[in-house]
Structures are given as structure tokens and as C-alpha cells.
Amino acid sequence: MEKSYKEYLQHITTFIFDVDGVLTDGSLLINSTGELLRTMNVKDGYALKVAIRQGFNMCIISGGKNEGVRERLKGLGVENIFLGAHHKVDLLTEYLNSHQIKPENVLYMGDDIPDLPVMKTIGLPTCPQDAVAEIKEISKYISYKEGGKGCVRDVIEQVLKVQGKWIDNYNANA
């Protein structure tokens, strides 16, 4: 019998997220100079900060190359940011090996075909509500929130609540 996704939450030590379609809604605003602009949800940002403060490993692996995205994530405390990633599995393997993380302790959230190989190698593949069908098919949890609309907060909050690390005096001011 297949385990419920909730059975995996207690063992998660590491969060890995894609950017476009997960931390953003996948839309691009192009200004007159050709710069590509994205929006991110502040509730997702808060959850990232809380998870990092609670000692969770946090990693971003994205095919996008926007340096503004890197700066935003660094400002939230994310240290492991891989942009322009065309071979996500190689980066994932390198990251897990260098930090001595077991794949079964990883929650990865992706939304589109480039995330498929990575999601097949980790313990808890998850996706936003508006992910493509192929990603939904292999996800053990599909957030009720869409990409860029709180799906990251959803999964982080669930893990931290199960582990008793969501709200306390230390992180309430994150």
C-alpha cells in the first residue's frame, strides 16, 4: 500500500524548490529594455526564512538565470541557489552529496517537465495546483495553492507543523 504524503513529513530535513511556476506564478513581465520581471509571494518568503532559522536545508535549482531572483532569495537567507540549471539531477546529486543528505529526506517542489527527472529521485515530490499533468502524476502531494500564490508556504508549513517547528517565540519575528 502506498504511503500517504503525511507519513514523509516527519523525515524531511531539506527543501528544494524550482523558481518559475513554483516561487513565481510563471508569468513574465517584459519592460521596455527587455528585462524579464517576476513576482514572488511574501508568504512564501516568510516560510523560507522560518524553515532556514529552524535548521532545515534550503536549496533552489532553476533553469532561469535572473540575478534579481538570486538577490531576493539570498536576502531571505537561502545560500544554495543554482540558476541556469539545465541538468538538475546532476546539481541535485552534487548538493546532496556535499551536504550528506539522503534523497528520502528531501521535499522537492516543481511544476514542469524539466523537474521530472529530479522529482523521481527524491523522497517527497510535490507540486503546485497548476503544475502540468506529468508532474502531478508523480507528485505525492499536490498543493491546493498555485505557483507563486503560496504553494511553497503550504508545504513548508505542513512539514514544520508536523515536526513541531512552525510557531514559537524565536521564529514568530522572522
Side-chain angles (χ1 to χ4, degrees), residues 41-79:
N41 187 298
V42 295
K43 290 179 179 139
D44 287 344
Y46 176 79
L48 289 168
K49 285 172 59 173
V50 171
I52 292 165
R53 284 188 178 181
Q54 290 289 20
F56 287 84
N57 302 305
M58 188 69 63
C59 180
I60 305 297
I61 302 177
S62 175
K65 299 178 185 175
N66 186 294
E67 288 303 313
V69 167
R70 182 187 308 277
E71 291 307 309
R72 165 71 177 149
L73 294 168
K74 283 173 71 176
L76 295 171
V78 180
E79 295 177 2

Side-chain angles (χ1 to χ4, degrees), residues 28-37:
L28 293 174
L29 179 64
I30 305 168
N31 71 13
S32 61
T33 65
E35 183 180 9
L36 303 176
L37 305 173

Side-chain angles (χ1 to χ4, degrees), residues 51-112:
I52 292 165
R53 284 188 178 181
Q54 290 289 20
F56 287 84
N57 302 305
M58 188 69 63
C59 180
I60 305 297
I61 302 177
S62 175
K65 299 178 185 175
N66 186 294
E67 288 303 313
V69 167
R70 182 187 308 277
E71 291 307 309
R72 165 71 177 149
L73 294 168
K74 283 173 71 176
L76 295 171
V78 180
E79 295 177 2
N80 297 286
I81 305 167
F82 301 98
L83 301 181
H86 299 294
H87 302 286
K88 291 185 176 189
V89 172
D90 295 343
L91 285 170
L92 172 76
T93 302
E94 180 182 318
Y95 173 75
L96 296 183
N97 288 339
S98 68
H99 290 82
Q100 298 167 348
I101 300 167
K102 295 177 182 175
E104 58 266 25
N105 299 124
V106 176
L107 180 152
Y108 183 97
M109 181 174 268
D111 72 306
D112 209 345

